[in-house]
Each structure stands twice: as structure tokens, then as C-alpha cells.
């Protein structure tokens, strides 16, 4: 039996094929060859590949006749850059899975770990917290666009000592920044609504759509939004 690997990712198809051949080496009960399409273990093969190549998200194994297994793989989709001295990609589950290239312009939201070095295969906090930040950043971006402030976008996230988060918005044209403090566990839709109300109050009736310099904007106290000019 032969193994064919079809990839559209950075992993080498040859590396996956060699690993698959190794997993399928030997016999069950000293009689039945693991390589035979009727006897191979789909679960063992899938788990072995995923364990070795953590950047892979999905594996599809198809039996072609009596002599061939076709393995199709799909890579994880990056959602955020996890950065300390260097940056890594993390997917929607918060899994840190590969080193990221250097970007000349902002492409992904950056999760700043400070002095903590990211570890490949580690989770970026709790999945619920990671999903909250992802949704909050997306909703906040929509609020800024709705207020005519489309040049501002979520650029960086930092974890605070009390378990809450600081989402730093940046204006692409000027480089101005606005830290927005959010409570861990707060519904992103509620935080976005409060942000919208606060921006409306700050902008007032001005038609220039220029956001004044703010030291911070704090959304951690429900409908009571605090900010400092």
C-alpha cells in the first residue's frame, strides 16, 4: 500500500508521508499488516500526524482502492500575533502553533506577553477569554467605523494584573493610540454599546470626526464609562 499526501500548507508533504509510513510500519497481532487499507488505524494515523505537526488543524484520510491512502491536510488559520521578543501565530482556539514572519504594516491584532516567552503548543489563556478578546476587538472596530473613525483599529492587547484586559487602538495615519480597558467576562456586545455611547459623547456635534487625545477609556464599570483627556 502507498501513501499519498496532498497539502496546501507550509508543512512538507514528504515529511508527512515519511511519518505516515513509520506509523504504518509493522503488524497487528503479528499477522495483519498496518499498511493494508483494511487494517490501518485511522485514529492512530490522524493523532500521530497532528501531534508532530501542530500547525495542522484538520486531516482527511481517504482509502483509494486496495493499495493507496490519500491524506489531505488543512493548516490552522492565524487570528492573532502573540509577541514577546519574537512573534508567533495563534489560531481561533488560542493555540500558539508557529513562528510568524515580520510584517511591515499591521496585519493582525497583537497580544503582547511582555517578558513572557510564548511556547509552541501552549494555549493563550482560557479559550473563553481569548474568544472574548477576539469578539471585543471586532465589535469595537465596527463602533469606530460607525462613528466615522475608520482610521482607528484594534492593534494590541495586554493582560492586566487583575485579570482584565487593555485593548490598545491605534490611528494608522498619525500613530496616536487609545488604551481601552475592558472587564474579563463582560459581554462584548455590551462593552461595544457602552463604547459607542462614550465616543458619541466625546465627539459631540463635531463633524470633523477627529478623536481628541485621550489617556484612556475605561469600560469596566457597566454603563459608567470613565475616560481622561
Amino acid at each position: 500500500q502507498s501513501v499519498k499526501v496532498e497539502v496546501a500548507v507550509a508543512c512538507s508533504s514528504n515529511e508527512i508521508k515519511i511519518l505516515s509510513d513509520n506509523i504504518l510500519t509493522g503488524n497487528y497481532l503479528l499477522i495483519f499488516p498496518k499498511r493494508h487499507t483494511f487494517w490501518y488505524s485511522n485514529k492512530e494515523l490522524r493523532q500521530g500526524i497532528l501531534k508532530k505537526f501542530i500547525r495542522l488543524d484538520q486531516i482527511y484520510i481517504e482509502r483509494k482502492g486496495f493499495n493507496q491512502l490519500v491524506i489531505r491536510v488543512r493548516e490552522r488559520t492565524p487570528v492573532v500575533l502573540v509577541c514577546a521578543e519574537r512573534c508567533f501565530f495563534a489560531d481561533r482556539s488560542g493555540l500558539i502553533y508557529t513562528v510568524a514572519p515580520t510584517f511591515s504594516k499591521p496585519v493582525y491584532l497583537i497580544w503582547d506577553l511582555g517578558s513572557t516567552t510564548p511556547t509552541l503548543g501552549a494555549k493563550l489563556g482560557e479559550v473563553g477569554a481569548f474568544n472574548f478578546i477576539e469578539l471585543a476587538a471586532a465589535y469595537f472596530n465596527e463602533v469606530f467605523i460607525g462613528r466615522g473613525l475608520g482610521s482607528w483599529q484594534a492593534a494590541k492587547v495586554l493582560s492586566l494584573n487583575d485579570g482584565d484586559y487593555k485593548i490598545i487602538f491605534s490611528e494608522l495615519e498619525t500613530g496616536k493610540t487609545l488604551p481601552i480597558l475592558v472587564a474579563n467576562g463582560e459581554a462584548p456586545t455590551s462593552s461595544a454599546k457602552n463604547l459607542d455611547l462614550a465616543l458619541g459623547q466625546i465627539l459631540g456635534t463635531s463633524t470633523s470626526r477627529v478623536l481628541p487625545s485621550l489617556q484612556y477609556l475605561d469600560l469596566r464599570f457597566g454603563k459608567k464609562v470613565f475616560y481622561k483627556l
Side-chain angles (χ1 to χ4, degrees), residues 18-210:
I18 291 173
L19 176 63
S20 300
D21 285 335
N22 290 337
I23 293 174
L24 295 174
T25 297
N27 302 299
Y28 293 112
L29 302 177
L30 302 178
I31 301 175
F32 306 107
K34 290 184 177 182
R35 298 187 61 84
H36 198 286
T37 54
F38 283 113
W39 308 118
Y40 86 97
S41 171
N42 187 298
K43 181 179 180 180
E44 181 183 0
L45 188 55
R46 285 169 51 84
Q47 290 181 344
I49 296 173
L50 288 174
K51 183 178 180 180
K52 175 67 175 180
F53 302 100
I54 62 172
R55 67 185 302 149
L56 298 181
D57 182 36
Q58 297 289 338
I59 297 178
Y60 307 93
I61 303 174
E62 180 183 359
R63 185 175 65 190
K64 285 290 185 71
F66 298 102
N67 300 313
Q68 188 179 64
L69 289 178
V70 177
I71 301 174
R72 297 182 176 90
V73 298
R74 187 176 69 182
E75 191 176 36
R76 298 179 185 276
T77 302
V79 172
V80 68
L81 284 177
V82 184
C83 297
E85 293 183 356
R86 64 191 307 184
C87 293
F88 298 78
F89 278 137
D91 68 358
R92 179 158 277 105
S93 71
L95 180 74
I96 301 170
Y97 66 90
T98 190
V99 176
T102 300
F103 297 97
S104 58
K105 296 181 179 180
V107 178
Y108 297 95
L109 180 67
I110 295 175
W111 195 304
D112 191 341
L113 296 184
S115 60
T116 303
T117 302
T119 303
L120 287 176
K123 286 277 190 175
L124 186 61
E126 297 294 329
V127 174
F130 181 79
N131 291 341
F132 162 75
I133 288 298
E134 182 191 1
L135 287 174
Y139 287 149
F140 290 3
N141 280 333
E142 291 179 2
V143 170
F144 274 82
I145 292 172
R147 285 292 177 177
L149 301 169
S151 60
W152 289 80
Q153 70 175 28
K156 185 180 294 187
V157 177
L158 296 94
S159 299
L160 303 178
N161 293 332
D162 58 5
D164 294 335
Y165 299 96
K166 180 190 294 184
I167 303 177
I168 299 178
F169 270 71
S170 176
E171 187 176 34
L172 301 180
E173 299 172 357
T174 65
K176 291 168 58 177
T177 59
L178 170 59
I180 300 179
L181 307 179
V182 294
N184 184 11
E186 180 75 17
T189 50
S190 298
S191 296
K193 182 178 180 180
N194 293 334
L195 172 63
D196 185 48
L197 294 174
L199 290 179
Q201 180 181 354
I202 294 169
L203 292 170
T205 57
S206 172
T207 58
S208 65
R209 300 295 90 179
V210 175

